[in-house]
Amino acid sequence: MQSKGTLYLIPNLIADDTAEKAIPAYNAMLLGSLNYFICEHAKSLRALLKASGVASPYDHLTYFELNKHTDRFELESFIKPLLSGFDMGLVSDAGCPGIADPGAQIVALAHAQGIKVLPLIGPSSIFMALMGSGFNGQKFSFHGYLPQKEPQLKKYLAEVERSIATEQSSHIFIEAPYRNTKLLQLLIKLLNPAQKLCLAINLSAENQRIETKTLGEWKKKLPEIDKLPTVFVLGS
Amino acid sequence: MQSKGTLYLIPNLIADDTAEKAIPAYNAMLLGSLNYFICEHAKSLRALLKASGVASPYDHLTYFELNKHTDRFELESFIKPLLSGFDMGLVSDAGCPGIADPGAQIVALAHAQGIKVLPLIGPSSIFMALMGSGFNGQKFSFHGYLPQKEPQLKKYLAEVERSIATEQSSHIFIEAPYRNTKLLQLLIKLLNPAQKLCLAINLSAENQRIETKTLGEWKKKLPEIDKLPTVFVLGS
């Protein structure tokens, strides 16, 4: 009986020109050895291969795109190379596949088929923001996107405030970059001015900034965050 | 005016002999350039330096130990080199400093003093487990240790079950390794047999295993997890 391949979960860069900071040597070597990939978009897979020193052209590679345009009934066919004994790499556009990014459904299919799943080490803006916030990292939640409408957001934030006060939990979330300032203004409006907020901007890039201040302090001088990749962390 | 140093947050290995898989080239270079450290224990700092190819002896290094024996009134003195213009590295025994590990208090002090904080990229067993679980990574919580006593644990898990059902959130937790089997048995006893559990064992080591099964399936054949580093993930 032919043995099955291994599904490697390979983090992608979160900022340009950061391979030396973000990619362990093993990842680069492994990327050069794989012929089959599942990626969010082919363009970001090729950028990762190039940044990892894998020589182009990449015409011999077989890849399947997994993004919002993918028909979920196709997913089973994506893992066929694994069932045939070939190793595959799962890569999203930025950071860790399956974490605030597509990929989890593929991993779940792999588990259901008894395929070995092997996560590699690399960048995650969520973890870098939490580490850099100075907030409690013994207990935390990642919320993805918060509700956009003010009444729902107010209710959601009241629960977050309760969790910070009673459980000392930290709370991480993101927003579509063009709405970052709008979200910050709503946080300033809806939360106690003494509540601390960490903004982690352009993580892993040369111009990254991580600052933790009270909302009262942020209000005095609003930072430039619109259209910049930003992770928000509330905590104590 | 003398400018302040930068506080680098440097992830440590989570398994022996895995530097090539876990440490980007930049981290190794930076580790070799620093003379001041705050570490959980000097032994694990030296192990990281050695694994990163930094030539010993390390007698010229100044380090402060931050662990359960540290007097919290000492912490302010730990960051004095930063205030004097020297860069410092913050390193815990395994994984990311400040995440399920000491370090957050130092980062908070640095923010309060306007010291630049810069997280590096490296291993986190929490993230590797979540990536490898195949569960929803758009929304998740890390709980640290769950309550040990059965009535409190039962109540806690009821809330986790509710969150999985209504919010599709994933829930990550750990246990003292010698209590891993005991915790698994309690999960089997207290949760629905159809609930899925991912066990991520010996992450990043050669003998790592990541498996996602229903609690009913785990019950049929209990895995060997006692005294092995294991991350638990419940989700859907």
Side-chain angles (χ1 to χ4, degrees):
Chain A
M1 201 181 89
Q2 191 178 28
S3 69
K4 293 167 188 164
T6 295
L7 177 63
Y8 291 95
L9 316 180
I10 310 175
N12 205 336
L13 302 179
I14 55 177
D16 291 340
D17 302 321
T18 53
E20 195 195 29
K21 287 184 180 176
I23 303 180
Y26 177 81
N27 298 22
M29 189 198 70
L30 184 84
L31 280 163
S33 77
L34 295 172
N35 290 309
Y36 294 88
F37 289 93
I38 298 164
C39 58
E40 192 171 351
H41 294 95
K43 189 180 167 188
S44 63
L45 168 63
R46 283 194 296 264
L48 175 63
L49 290 167
K50 191 176 172 203
S52 304
V54 178
S56 58
Y58 307 130
D59 307 342
H60 64 291
L61 301 177
T62 302
Y63 59 82
F64 306 91
E65 285 192 329
L66 172 66
N67 53 46
K68 61 184 177 184
H69 303 295
T70 307
D71 183 339
R72 50 178 304 202
F73 294 105
E74 281 188 287
L75 297 185
E76 299 247 3
S77 69
F78 287 7
I79 64 166
K80 279 186 185 164
L82 288 161
L83 295 171
S84 303
F86 297 103
D87 294 338
M88 291 186 88
L90 176 63
V91 177
S92 72
D93 284 349
C96 298
I99 301 186
D101 257 341
Q105 289 169 304
I106 293 294
V107 178
L109 282 174
H111 280 300
Q113 296 281 353
I115 289 163
K116 190 175 167 188
V117 166
L118 217 150
L120 303 195
I121 290 161
S124 155
S125 58
I126 300 168
F127 254 49
M128 293 173 81
L130 180 61
M131 250 200 286
S133 70
F135 296 146
N136 184 19
Q138 315 296 320
K139 200 168 165 69
F140 59 87
S141 291
F142 173 69
H143 297 268
Y145 299 87
L146 299 189
Q148 286 196 5
K149 293 191 177 162
E150 195 172 318
Q152 286 88 328
L153 179 62
K154 189 174 178 180
K155 201 174 150 194
Y156 201 97
L157 289 173
E159 179 56 28
V160 167
E161 272 188 315
R162 188 205 57 75
S163 163
I164 296 170
T166 63
E167 305 168 324
Q168 288 76 51
S169 186
S170 302
H171 294 269
I172 310 159
F173 43 95
I174 50 178
E175 182 50 283
Y178 73 93
R179 290 192 82 253
N180 280 342
T181 300
K182 174 78 183 156
L183 176 59
L184 176 58
Q185 285 165 336
L186 281 168
L187 295 175
I188 288 169
K189 179 176 175 186
L190 298 172
L191 289 167
N192 188 317
Q195 171 62 51
K196 285 185 176 173
L197 167 71
C198 174
L199 294 176
I201 305 157
N202 289 324
L203 280 169
S204 94
E206 277 304 318
N207 59 351
Q208 76 177 305
R209 279 176 53 203
I210 305 178
E211 288 182 43
T212 296
K213 299 181 185 180
T214 65
L215 287 165
E217 287 164 336
W218 282 119
K219 187 182 178 180
K220 282 183 208 157
K221 189 166 183 262
L222 283 185
E224 296 282 345
I225 53 174
D226 247 20
K227 299 183 187 160
L228 300 181
T230 302
V231 181
F232 296 74
V233 194
L234 290 166
S236 64
Chain B
M1 200 184 89
Q2 191 178 29
S3 68
K4 292 168 188 165
T6 295
L7 177 63
Y8 292 95
L9 317 180
I10 310 175
N12 204 336
L13 303 179
I14 54 176
D16 291 339
D17 303 321
T18 53
E20 195 195 28
K21 288 183 179 175
I23 303 179
Y26 177 81
N27 298 23
M29 189 199 68
L30 184 83
L31 281 163
S33 77
L34 295 172
N35 289 310
Y36 294 88
F37 289 94
I38 298 164
C39 57
E40 190 171 353
H41 293 96
K43 191 180 166 187
S44 64
L45 169 63
R46 284 194 297 264
L48 176 63
L49 291 167
K50 193 178 170 198
S52 305
V54 179
S56 58
Y58 307 130
D59 307 341
H60 64 291
L61 302 177
T62 301
Y63 58 84
F64 305 92
E65 285 191 331
L66 171 67
N67 52 48
K68 60 183 177 185
H69 303 297
T70 307
D71 183 340
R72 52 179 302 204
F73 294 106
E74 280 188 287
L75 297 185
E76 298 247 4
S77 68
F78 288 8
I79 64 165
K80 279 187 185 163
L82 289 161
L83 295 171
S84 302
F86 297 103
D87 294 339
M88 291 187 86
L90 175 64
V91 178
S92 73
D93 283 350
C96 298
I99 302 187
D101 257 342
Q105 288 168 305
I106 294 294
V107 178
L109 283 174
H111 281 299
Q113 295 281 353
I115 289 162
K116 190 175 167 188
V117 166
L118 217 150
L120 303 195
I121 291 161
S124 156
S125 58
I126 300 169
F127 254 50
M128 293 172 80
L130 179 62
M131 247 199 289
S133 70
F135 296 147
N136 184 19
Q138 315 295 323
K139 199 168 164 68
F140 59 87
S141 292
F142 174 69
H143 297 267
Y145 298 88
L146 299 189
Q148 286 198 4
K149 292 191 178 164
E150 194 172 320
Q152 287 88 327
L153 179 62
K154 189 173 177 178
K155 202 175 149 192
Y156 202 98
L157 289 173
E159 179 56 28
V160 167
E161 273 187 316
R162 187 204 58 74
S163 163
I164 296 171
T166 63
E167 304 167 324
Q168 289 77 52
S169 186
S170 302
H171 294 269
I172 311 160
F173 43 95
I174 51 177
E175 182 49 286
Y178 74 93
R179 290 191 83 253
N180 279 343
T181 299
K182 175 77 183 159
L183 175 58
L184 176 57
Q185 285 166 337
L186 281 168
L187 295 175
I188 289 170
K189 180 177 173 185
L190 298 172
L191 290 168
N192 188 317
Q195 171 62 51
K196 283 185 176 176
L197 168 71
C198 174
L199 293 176
I201 306 158
N202 289 323
L203 281 169
S204 94
E206 277 303 318
N207 59 351
Q208 77 178 307
R209 279 175 55 202
I210 305 178
E211 288 181 42
T212 296
K213 299 180 186 182
T214 67
L215 286 165
E217 287 165 335
W218 282 119
K219 187 183 178 179
K220 282 184 205 156
K221 189 165 183 259
L222 284 184
E224 297 281 346
I225 54 174
D226 248 19
K227 298 181 186 161
L228 300 181
T230 302
V231 181
F232 296 74
V233 194
L234 290 167
S236 62

